[in-house]
Amino acid sequence: MDINRPKLSFNCIGDASRVQLHRKQQLIAEITEMIHVASLIHDDILDDAKTRRGVGSLNFVVGNKLAVLAGDFLLFRALGALASLKNTEVVSLLVTAFDNLVTGETMQMAATVEQRCSMEYYMQKTYYKTASLVSNSCKAMALLSDQTPEVATLAFEYGKNLGLAYQFIDDILDFTGTSASLGKGSLSDIRQGIVTAPILFAMEEFPQLKAVIEQGFDNFANIDTALEYLWKSHGIQRTKELATKHANLAAAAIDSLPESSSLDVWKSRQALINLTQILTTRNK
């Protein structure tokens, strides 16, 4: 026996466990970002987008074939990293998020006129396309740290409402932002025939807007008509209120977590709450 060999204390074991946990949680964040970026690449291909955040989109720069391969590569790397966690529940959560992404995109592409004019359909599609990945990733983080089912549910609710609020603000910026701040052409959604919350709220005030949506937006005159109704309505204001509502629900989920005397825990929770406030005041 080597008497000079240092003994491993319980604190060392605890520190090692925390480091390992943090690494696994960081890996979840990396996997989430890989899935997210892959979905953006594929979205740009489907939309024939020329720019992404102010620079040339990958499909525009290298062509659709290489862009598809790049997106697929990121997904395969994400799945490989996910398998390395060896946690079937976490794997199931992230696979569900990916499945929802595809479902949401399919809902958007295959929607009938009635579905495009339905707030319920829009909310479900928005959850699938944007909020599912955030909510399931947040829940995965909680499960990796052996939190209770109640805490895992609160983590899920935080991510879901944060993701929804983010998309509602994005929908507003598509009408009120500029190409420079958005990194894409303004009115890009409506030009593609995608009906979002501001237009849906405007349609509640001006039902005749539905006839314009039915005609489609291939005709620029219909876009101008839809915008006229939008600016006369409270569509932008009501969408902002909807985003604030869900941001507040996200913050409430954090406030509902079990009390802790740890300063680090308090700082982390405060950062998550601050994120909900930053999200609803962003202009890009």
Side-chain angles (χ1 to χ4, degrees):
M1 180 177 180
D2 184 359
I3 60 174
N4 293 319
R5 182 178 179 181
K7 293 182 179 180
L8 188 63
S9 69
F10 287 109
N11 285 338
C12 289
I13 294 173
D15 289 342
S17 297
R18 280 192 292 272
V19 169
Q20 185 179 32
L21 172 60
H22 290 165
R23 176 60 193 131
K24 287 182 177 181
Q25 291 179 323
Q26 181 180 328
L27 188 57
I28 288 291
E30 293 168 358
I31 291 166
T32 300
E33 188 59 19
M34 282 191 282
I35 294 174
H36 177 226
V37 172
S39 73
L40 295 181
I41 292 172
H42 288 158
D43 273 355
D44 286 345
I45 295 168
L46 292 172
D47 298 340
D48 195 27
K50 300 297 186 293
T51 62
R52 166 66 63 177
R53 299 302 175 193
V55 299
S57 61
L58 188 63
N59 55 295
F60 180 72
V61 173
V62 303
N64 284 345
K65 290 182 179 179
L66 282 177
V68 168
L69 290 174
D72 290 347
F73 174 76
L74 283 172
L75 289 176
F76 288 134
R77 289 299 297 268
L79 291 174
L82 190 57
S84 72
L85 290 170
K86 299 178 181 179
N87 186 310
T88 55
E89 194 168 5
V90 168
V91 170
S92 178
L93 285 172
L94 271 296
V95 169
T96 295
F98 179 65
D99 178 75
N100 287 345
L101 277 170
V102 176
T103 300
E105 189 62 43
T106 303
M107 288 176 69
Q108 181 168 287
M109 294 174 64
T112 65
V113 172
E114 288 301 319
Q115 289 170 332
R116 289 165 62 206
C117 293
S118 165
M119 178 62 78
E120 181 181 357
Y121 191 86
Y122 161 80
M123 291 290 288
Q124 187 65 61
K125 180 199 72 175
T126 300
Y127 169 73
Y128 283 152
K129 284 200 61 168
T130 307
S132 176
L133 182 59
V134 186
S135 59
N136 282 292
S137 297
C138 288
K139 186 174 182 179
M141 294 284 193
L143 292 178
L144 281 175
S145 55
D146 295 324
Q147 296 294 330
T148 65
E150 291 75 18
V151 168
T153 297
L154 288 171
F156 181 92
E157 287 299 313
Y158 173 81
K160 180 186 77 173
N161 287 293
L162 189 76
L164 289 173
Y166 179 91
Q167 187 58 54
F168 299 147
I169 295 297
D170 236 31
D171 291 344
I172 292 172
L173 291 175
D174 193 54
F175 293 103
T176 63
T178 63
S179 295
S181 64
L182 292 174
K184 60 178 180 179
S186 58
L187 305 180
S188 62
D189 285 339
I190 196 169
R191 290 183 191 280
Q192 296 173 52
I194 300 171
V195 179
T196 56
I199 293 293
L200 290 172
F201 281 129
M203 191 171 60
E204 290 182 10
E205 296 179 57
F206 300 100
Q208 56 267 45
L209 181 53
K210 183 177 180 181
V212 180
I213 295 172
E214 289 175 344
Q215 292 173 21
F217 296 111
D218 292 335
N219 185 339
F220 287 159
N222 286 346
I223 295 178
D224 291 338
T225 301
L227 291 177
E228 287 178 14
Y229 283 122
L230 174 64
W231 301 131
K232 288 190 294 185
S233 75
H234 297 89
I236 297 294
Q237 178 184 335
R238 291 182 66 186
T239 305
K240 180 63 181 291
E241 290 169 356
L242 185 63
T244 301
K245 171 189 171 182
H246 282 276
N248 289 339
L249 287 172
I254 299 301
D255 283 334
S256 298
L257 290 169
E259 292 185 5
S260 172
S261 59
S262 168
L263 180 60
D264 287 341
V265 169
W266 181 86
K267 287 181 178 179
S268 297
R269 292 181 181 182
Q270 193 59 46
L272 292 172
I273 291 173
N274 290 344
L275 182 59
T276 69
Q277 298 167 349
I278 293 169
L279 183 148
T280 52
T281 57
R282 67 190 178 92
N283 57 13
K284 60 181 180 178

